[in-house]
Amino acid sequence: MPDDIHSRLGRLSPEIQAIMGVYALYWKLEETFDCIETDLSHPECHMLIKLNEPKRMGVLAADMLSVPSTITATADALEKQGYLIRERDPEDRRAWLLVLTERGHETRNMLVAEAGDLFHRASGLNAEETVEFARMACKIRDNILKTGIPEGLKK
């Protein structure tokens, strides 16, 4: 049966095949991300992953395609749970940086590893193919963001 589907879909244009593949990957990852054992919400996990280095709230909001008020609420929750702290930015003492604690780093490392494993299982791509897919996905994302953040990402 999968061979029949593959054959039928193979007759579609490359653009339609790409759209269908990205859509299927998105939904498979959404479904499997819920399997990661954590008490954190999706926005909290997303913030931890984006905090690969200390960042100002405005920079983090841009990285997360979010509004500052959402970032503040998520940061407050993560700070209360001991995943991050706020420190003065040494380059501008008026500004604050969000900095992961040891607990935050450990949880971030777990989330990154789990997400990577889930991506490889869902996509079927090897390491080399993943690098190429990431390059193309970044190009697509940059092109889309040139015209403004899509409504679905504003939520």
Side-chain angles (χ1 to χ4, degrees), residues 29 32-52 64 74 78 81 83-84 100 102-121:
L29 290 173
T32 55
F33 281 150
D34 289 336
C35 297
I36 297 175
E37 291 188 32
T38 181
D39 293 333
L40 298 173
S41 67
H42 278 255
E44 291 168 341
C45 290
H46 190 194
M47 182 175 283
L48 286 180
I49 288 171
K50 293 290 179 142
L51 275 171
N52 58 318
M64 293 179 63
T74 304
L78 287 170
Q81 297 172 73
Y83 290 100
L84 61 81
L100 292 179
E102 184 176 334
R103 181 180 188 196
H105 278 290
E106 289 171 1
T107 303
R108 181 184 182 281
N109 291 340
M110 179 275 296
L111 290 170
V112 168
E114 289 283 331
D117 289 345
L118 291 173
F119 175 82
H120 284 286
R121 284 198 305 271

Side-chain angles (χ1 to χ4, degrees), residues 47 57-75 149 153-155:
M47 182 175 283
M57 301 264 268
V59 171
L60 191 57
D63 287 355
M64 293 179 63
L65 305 175
S66 189
V67 293
S69 59
T70 301
I71 297 302
T72 300
T74 304
I149 298 172
L153 291 175
K154 291 180 183 178
K155 296 176 183 176

